[in-house]
């Protein structure tokens, strides 16, 4: 289930500054949540959630929402190593995913369900989680829309209706800076 082979195959670590493939061992209580803003050929937001020693990953083309009526497409991508959560930098031209990356939001997350583990919920294609980030907070659902075992990697990322839901907020537009360096993605491109 956790597989960094695809991650490794896509990258030349002599050329890119991205972290090397390494599965993290040992149990963690605080699971990492991170969203990286990535200005590749198409600008997108990479949502990553720690599960079983790797970061499960989805590319969200339009970014996350705090509005429960907004269903955001999230296309699953290859598992990433845990160390990737702190990666900011420019992936060189010609390399996979070339372009600037900033840590747009970061924090922890936990399972909202008590009757099913995160691993099982992930396998069934429906994660109900509580996110504690800087910009995103509260309940979110990740729902696989493709069939099980299918090559369709589409999921939906949706805010749950709770006290943190807010249809008027739009952090993708109003809070563009990195939560670790305070840089904008354009700042990295210029250097
Ligand atoms: Mn990306």
């Amino acid at each position: 289930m956790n597989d960094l082979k695809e991650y490794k195959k896509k990258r030349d670590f002599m050329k890119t500054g991205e972290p090397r493939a390494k599965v993290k061992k040992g149990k963690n209580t605080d699971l990492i949540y991170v969203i990286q803003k990535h200005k590749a050929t198409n600008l997108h937001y990479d949502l990553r959630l720690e599960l079983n020693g790797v970061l499960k990953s989805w590319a969200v083309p339009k970014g996350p929402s705090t509005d429960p009526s907004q269903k955001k497409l999230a296309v699953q991508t290859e598992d990433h190593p845990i160390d990737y959560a702190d990666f900011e930098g420019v992936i060189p031209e010609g390399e996979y995913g070339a372009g600037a990356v900033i840590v747009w939001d970061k924090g922890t997350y936990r399972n909202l369900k008590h009757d099913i583990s995160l691993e099982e919920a992930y396998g069934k294609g429906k994660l109900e989680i509580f996110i504690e980030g800087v910009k995103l907070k509260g309940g979110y659902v990740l729902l696989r829309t493709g069939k099980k075992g299918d090559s369709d990697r589409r999921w939906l990322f949706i805010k749950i209706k709770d006290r943190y839901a807010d249809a008027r907020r739009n952090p993708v537009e109003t809070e563009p800076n990195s939560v670790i360096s305070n840089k904008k993605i354009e700042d990295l491109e210029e250097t």
Side-chain angles (χ1 to χ4, degrees):
M1 187 166 113
N2 306 307
D3 201 350
L4 294 175
K5 272 189 212 124
E6 191 181 346
Y7 177 87
K8 215 167 163 179
K9 210 168 90 187
K10 284 179 163 163
R11 291 169 175 80
D12 179 349
F13 296 104
M14 298 297 279
K15 291 181 180 159
T16 180
E18 294 166 285
R20 284 166 188 270
K22 203 176 106 199
V23 176
K24 193 178 155 191
K25 300 264 159 55
K27 284 229 167 189
N28 262 13
T29 42
D30 283 337
L31 295 168
I32 295 168
Y33 142 80
V34 65
I35 294 180
Q36 280 154 320
K37 184 176 180 179
H38 184 187
K39 204 168 179 186
T41 314
N42 295 303
L43 177 74
H44 60 271
Y45 292 77
D46 288 302
L47 165 68
R48 308 190 199 281
L49 300 173
E50 178 178 359
L51 194 65
N52 291 333
V54 297
L55 295 172
K56 293 289 170 192
S57 299
W58 293 262
V60 183
K62 292 184 177 163
S65 180
T66 53
D67 177 358
S69 74
Q70 299 286 311
K71 295 181 168 77
K72 297 294 189 170
L73 173 69
V75 182
Q76 191 167 18
T77 56
E78 75 275 20
D79 294 348
H80 278 54
I82 296 291
D83 287 349
Y84 208 92
D86 292 314
F87 177 75
E88 278 197 351
V90 179
I91 301 167
E93 229 176 286
E95 295 306 296
Y96 177 73
V101 176
I102 59 163
V103 177
W104 183 78
D105 197 21
K106 198 179 174 209
T108 59
Y109 84 101
R110 58 181 167 82
N111 191 2
L112 268 178
K113 305 297 275 184
H114 299 291
D115 56 344
I116 186 168
S117 71
L118 280 171
E119 290 82 358
E120 281 176 282
Y122 170 79
K124 288 188 170 172
K126 189 183 183 186
L127 284 168
E128 291 171 77
I129 59 173
F130 191 92
I131 289 175
E132 284 188 79
V134 178
K135 295 170 186 172
L136 298 194
K137 268 193 178 71
Y140 276 84
V141 179
L142 262 164
L143 194 66
R144 187 169 59 214
T145 57
K147 289 190 197 81
K148 203 180 175 180
D150 199 319
S151 59
D152 188 345
R153 296 180 122 188
R154 280 176 297 181
W155 296 55
L156 291 172
F157 185 48
I158 312 160
K159 180 77 195 77
I160 290 173
K161 284 180 194 159
D162 59 17
R163 56 186 288 245
Y164 303 99
D166 188 345
R168 290 162 305 180
R169 261 189 82 204
N170 186 3
V172 165
E173 293 300 325
T174 61
E175 298 169 55
N177 297 41
S178 162
V179 293
I180 59 174
S181 67
N182 203 34
K183 285 177 182 164
K184 286 191 174 66
I185 203 148
E186 293 79 16
D187 300 335
L188 290 189
E189 285 184 304
E190 284 157 14
T191 54

